[in-house]
């Protein structure tokens, strides 16, 4: 079967760094997406990785290891507005997105 | 551009009632999707469309029907609502590239009593 695993909840301190991990098992693989979802709102796109390595975009970076079926999202200089759920989704062999349940990130002052 | 819009934002139904959720996008996207989101679970694909006049089943299609008569609109119908269909429904759209980003609407919160 197809499966995406990510932690249910994480807590971090304002100004710190946090890493949210995601492991995936899919039938075929065509890339991995990260989305941010604030409570009561729609998911919004953060990043897409298809090749191994780190992609940096401002305070957010995303890493992919295809051989390990693993990705992480790194958030630096955390701000209160980063409190949200972070959704990991893998693109399978049919180019359908398989979604994880999301990681709720709580930022404390 | 409004992006992706959904109507209504909230709705309460009684078991057995029917309703239609409307999704509209003004980005000229080819692909459109309907998902449901339940607590503790990932987004689950209900139905999708790869172009005007086409529809296909996703992971959880039972109890739902869809239509894509116009490119910009994607309708989701519930013929006979059940409490198990209580959920938040999201519509999304994207261009035609296989790895293009999906853009989501604000969601419809549906409660079936």
């Amino acid at each position: 079967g197809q499966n995406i695993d990510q932690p249910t909840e994480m807590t971090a301190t304002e100004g710190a760094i946090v890493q949210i991990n995601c492991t995936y098992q899919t039938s075929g693989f065509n890339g991995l997406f990260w989305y941010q979802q604030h409570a009561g709102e729609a998911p919004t796109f953060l990043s897409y990785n298809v090749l191994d390595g780190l992609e940096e975009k401002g305070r957010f970076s995303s890493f992919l290891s295809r051989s390990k079926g693993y990705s992480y999202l790194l958030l630096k200089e955390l701000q209160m507005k980063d409190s949200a759920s972070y959704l990991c989704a893998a693109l399978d062999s049919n180019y359908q997105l398989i979604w994880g349940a999301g990681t709720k990130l709580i930022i404390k002052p | 551009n409004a992006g992706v819009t959904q109507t209504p934002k909230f709705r309460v139904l009684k078991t057995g009632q029917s309703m239609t959720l409307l999704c509209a996008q003004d980005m000229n996207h080819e692909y459109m999707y309907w998902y449901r989101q339940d607590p503790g679970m990932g987004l689950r694909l209900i139905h999708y469309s790869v172009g005007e006049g086409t529809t296909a089943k996703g992971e959880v299609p039972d109890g739902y029907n869809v239509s894509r008569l116009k490119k910009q609109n994607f309708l989701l119908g519930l013929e006979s609502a059940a409490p198990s269909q209580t959920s938040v429904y999201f519509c999304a759209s994207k261009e035609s590239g296989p790895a293009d980003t999906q853009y989501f609407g604000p969601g419809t919160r549906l409660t079936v009593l």
Side-chain angles (χ1 to χ4, degrees), chain B residues 25-61:
Chain B
Q25 52 95 4
D26 61 3
M27 297 177 283
N28 202 35
H29 285 172
E30 289 293 333
Y31 286 44
M32 296 186 75
Y33 303 84
W34 276 107
Y35 291 97
R36 59 179 290 173
Q37 186 175 42
D38 300 294
M41 302 182 74
L43 287 161
R44 290 185 291 169
L45 183 64
I46 303 171
H47 285 281
Y48 65 101
S49 168
V50 300
E52 182 179 312
T54 75
T55 63
K57 294 180 180 179
E59 178 188 358
V60 289

Side-chain angles (χ1 to χ4, degrees), chain A residues 33 35 37 42 48 95-96 99-100, chain B residues 35 37 42 48 98-99 101-102 105:
Chain A
F33 287 84
Y35 279 75
Q37 186 178 25
Y48 170 68
Y95 292 95
Q96 297 288 9
W99 295 84
Chain B
Y35 291 97
Q37 186 175 42
Y48 65 101
T101 300
Q102 291 187 22

